[in-house]
Amino acid sequence: MACPAELFHHHVFVDLETTGLNPQTDEVIEVGALFVEEGQVVRRISRLFRPSAPLPLAIQRITGLTDADLDGQPSFHAFQDELAEALRGWTVVAHNAFFERSFLAEVFASIDAEVIDSCELLHYLFPELDSHSLESAVKWAKVSDRCAHRALRDCEDTFAVVCHALGRCEDEARADELAEVLACLAPEADLRHPEAGVRQHPALVRLLMELYERCRHQSAPLTLTGDGPFLPPRPERLRQRGVTVSHDNDEGDVTVEPVTTADVDAVLGAGGALERTVDGFRPRVQQLQIARRVARALSAGERLAVEAGTGTGKSLAYLTPAALFAAKNGLKVAVAPNTRALQDQLMEKDLPRLHRALGGSFGYALLKGQTNYLCRRRTLELTRVEAGMPWEERAPRAYLRAYLRRSPDGDLDRTSYWFKEHYPALAGLLQGGRSEAATTLSDRCPYYRQCYYHSAVAHAEKADVLVINQALALSWPQRYPRLRHLILDEAHELEDVVTTALGSELSEAVLGRVGERLLGRPGRKGLLAELKRTLAGTGAGRAGADLLQQLEATVYAVGKGCLELGDAVYALCAAGGERGGRGFSEECRITVETRAGPQWQAIRAALLEVRQTLIELGRKLGPGVNAVLPTLGARNPSLERELAGATAEITETCERISEFADKPDPHSCYFASARPERRQWLLCAQPVDVRRPFEESLASNQRALVLTSATLSTGPGNPWILDRLGLTRPYPDTSPTEFLRSGTPFDLERQSLVVLVTDAPDPQEPAFVDWATDRIAGLAQFMGGRVLGLFASARRLEEVGDRVQERLEPVGIEVLRQSRGNSRNLAARQEQDHGSVLLGTKSFWQGIDIPGAGVACVFIDKLPLEPQNRPIVTAREERLGGDTWAGFMQYRLPRALLQLRQGVGRLIRSADDRGVVIIADPGSPTYRAQVFAALEGYRVEALPWARARVRLFEAIKAMGLHASAHRSRAPSPAAAPTRAVAR
């Protein structure tokens, strides 16, 4: 690798450790500085400082520093002048320099220092990285296996990471890529003579220009290119041998070679392919049972639902027969989870392992909806840089140009969160640059063979196992390869997915997109500007000018109508709240009675006015433009397709308006939602009963259909989810759905105790916050942390979290909250750090996986019942007979029990896990039997707290979970915790 350290002529790498993230309230506790002269380290500074208050526990854990380490050290304020003098005349390099700038604002201002953000630099050089944090970067560059979180060491690591990145660019001779980035960041620069006027450019640009000079004198390494018409798929995902996927016999009846029990056992069984190739893999009886049954369903063309208990390894249980079936028969099998987290697990972990184990006998791919991909043509047009454009607009354009060069798939989900946060203009560019059916030029596009979307569809055509998601499966485009064999994972979410996917929405954001397309937004010009430029060279004259003036006036009229419509929606929601005696209502159901009232009449009038204005706009964009410029398609095909896309969006919006105003679907629930303080409003329609839509949109099109989840039932013999989807009472000409309930390989009764507390305060009352605080804090002290708190209310989580933190941090137990961090990162920290407490709301009830000693207690504040006054809930309960109690028992309670099962399932994630679950409010005794049934397999006891605390103490001691029984980073004297739990 090249050695580009000499690109750092007179640079100092700076890093800080602080007591928190807020420069207004937090303080610097450590400064590190690494001075580099012509590539050589010439000086180091490492200083500690005493803050005015004790170190927060989180900072102690991250840095390893304690209050004792800082005792006797000076304050940072006394060091500022010395630091300023040391840095004077040097170019500062810092990773995520926004942080250092905020805490060292006075220092940097006094010396007028130039600053290079190494995090931003990495975004331009390697935009395809999953994360550009220093923690991730040191692993990527193989500098270290973790970030030190000590100032000087982080400076050294940053220097090493940046040198690695620059060296790779030079080795790969990436001059063309750098030239494109520089054309955005410094369009006035002359790369033929980079030394000319170099001092006028920012330090980051100067560094990139020097790197460009080095790269352009290198020879690019030879690479193999694919022989297909599109971007090549990833080689590790390709089929290396086996039957080619057929496109002809995927219709109607097919004759297949079945996947046998022996086939499945040869992969998943004792001595099988996975045990031979995957470290730590062990055959499981339940996994084999599921896999054999899925193989039969795929082979025979059946419908199957599988409830797979915790620890069965259900992903490999369905992927294995899917891959074997596809490899044998050349028939595609699609797998559709609901969440991106499971999609990532399948694509990055499970399928690669299976692919290696099967010797590459099948290929696999990921396919998303078209708008999830960047359109290369649109993005290149949007990212043009013009004279006078500020850095805040040039930077996101440079990043996107780099991303187009480096991203293998153009996935919008993979664009950088850091860049969106620091350069808000990126969000608008991504919205405008996405691929759309109405705007694609297909094979007429000059970038057709480099198109991310068309390449993804081509890869999907050839794949044996295709990973999609449930929402896409429900709205499957005709141009995508036909699905005949479908596996739906996380199937407990299907009713909600169908409700959203087949619903309809109209909002200020929907109407606002019309204006943004045509008029643009800050940092991005609209279509009317491009139309004006095109008309200028045609001789359209006055007719063209008049058309542009009319178009602009009509767009502004749409905006005015949108504001008036919003005011009418606010009035409706306010009136609905007054009737219910609750004040302002954020959601207001729109019933027949509502439509007869004056508030709805005002909304209807505003809707019709907006629709008429949109119709006029569509006419001007279509026939109007064609009359003035009939040769537009030949002159500017891109603009012609963009205007067609805008017209299509206008037509779709008009259809939605017609539905809300005059053509409501009798099978849908309509409601309005409003947040006046944010100027946000929404009109929404959702199907009340999803059974027929699910059958007609998805199930009936499949030769074989498999549903799987850890929670399809609310108890033995009650597959509630299947009933909600219409699979327990099949429609004519459909096969019945077999239900397989596979148990867990874990001994839940031995490994866990679930306590339903029967006398806790009502969670809605203030007394509950104190009660929950005492229990969580006491349990955490007794066990040295290791508590996962699941809350049905974000407000209650924050109230309890504040008080628990006050109690636990002084004794060395950190309190982590979902509202103050990334879910994945928090879960990873809880798994690694046993001396902490993690509190979360709805998304933490399922999906997070914390095996091992990180969680020994799950505290659940209440049965997660939805509010009865939610419009869709009310409508569905009415359909179940109109009786409030019957509706509750048949809808809200089963939904809550499914989520409860998910929450309780967070405790035992491996055969070695053990612990206790506390459900503080298990609901009324009148349905206690249903709660017990839902928790079948666990040892469940319903007790008042006076008895529950004794049982919990005994169980925790017996399982060896108390603090004195294990090594914990958190000090926890034995006597105090015992008293805390026994309160």
Side-chain angles (χ1 to χ4, degrees), residues 682-832:
L682 171 73
L683 295 176
C684 188
Q686 295 178 335
V688 176
D689 188 338
V690 305
R691 290 176 296 180
R692 184 168 292 280
F694 175 74
E695 178 67 30
E696 294 176 349
S697 298
L698 185 64
S700 64
N701 301 320
Q702 306 305 316
R703 175 181 173 272
L705 178 66
V706 177
L707 285 73
T708 182
S709 169
T711 52
L712 292 177
S713 69
T714 58
N718 184 21
W720 187 76
I721 287 294
L722 303 190
D723 183 54
R724 296 297 300 174
L725 296 172
L727 295 174
T728 54
R729 290 169 288 178
Y731 289 92
D733 302 322
T734 62
S735 59
T737 303
E738 180 183 341
F739 179 53
L740 172 62
R741 198 165 190 248
S742 178
T744 173
F746 305 146
D747 187 349
L748 297 178
E749 188 165 342
R750 180 185 62 81
Q751 292 177 252
S752 64
L753 169 66
V754 180
V755 173
L756 314 180
V757 181
T758 58
D759 62 348
D762 186 325
Q764 307 299 332
E765 299 297 326
F768 181 84
V769 173
D770 290 331
W771 187 92
T773 298
D774 287 343
R775 275 66 198 169
I776 293 175
L779 286 159
Q781 286 182 264
F782 186 49
M783 294 188 296
R786 308 200 293 174
V787 175
L788 173 64
L790 301 177
F791 290 80
S793 159
R795 175 189 57 79
R796 195 156 52 244
L797 179 150
E798 293 301 328
E799 291 177 350
V800 172
D802 287 342
R803 301 190 190 189
V804 169
Q805 187 169 339
E806 290 175 4
R807 292 271 296 275
L808 292 182
E809 293 216 342
V811 297
I813 298 174
E814 186 179 358
V815 178
L816 311 173
R817 294 186 228 182
Q818 180 185 3
S819 57
R820 304 184 185 185
N822 175 275
S823 297
R824 279 191 182 185
N825 293 341
L826 290 174
R829 282 191 62 189
Q830 185 74 9
E831 182 178 351
Q832 297 162 5

Side-chain angles (χ1 to χ4, degrees), residues 506 510-511 514 610-611 614 648-658:
L506 184 71
V510 170
L511 292 174
V514 175
V610 170
R611 184 182 66 181
L614 285 171
E649 184 171 27
I650 288 169
T651 300
E652 181 184 346
T653 304
C654 287
E655 291 171 356
R656 292 188 198 180
I657 292 175
S658 296

Side-chain angles (χ1 to χ4, degrees), residues 587-600:
E587 286 188 346
C588 177
R589 188 178 174 195
I590 301 169
T591 62
V592 173
E593 292 76 18
T594 306
R595 290 177 181 275
Q599 286 86 13
W600 178 256

Side-chain angles (χ1 to χ4, degrees), residues 44 172 231 243 247 260 324 363 615 718 802 831 877 895:
R44 289 177 170 87
E172 296 165 11
L231 295 170
V243 180
H247 302 287
T260 66
L324 292 171
I615 290 172
N718 184 21
D802 287 342
E831 182 178 351
E877 292 193 354
R895 281 176 65 86

Side-chain angles (χ1 to χ4, degrees), residues 11-35:
H11 294 73
V12 55
F13 290 77
V14 175
D15 187 79
L16 306 177
E17 301 299 334
T18 64
T19 59
L21 302 178
N22 188 344
Q24 305 302 318
T25 57
D26 293 308
E27 301 172 79
V28 176
I29 57 172
E30 186 177 27
V31 168
L34 186 76
F35 295 80

Side-chain angles (χ1 to χ4, degrees), residues 289-310:
Q289 177 193 25
I290 295 170
R292 292 166 182 167
R293 188 61 194 86
V294 172
R296 194 176 88 193
L298 292 172
S299 300
E302 298 172 346
R303 292 185 174 188
L304 171 69
V306 179
E307 184 173 76
T310 302

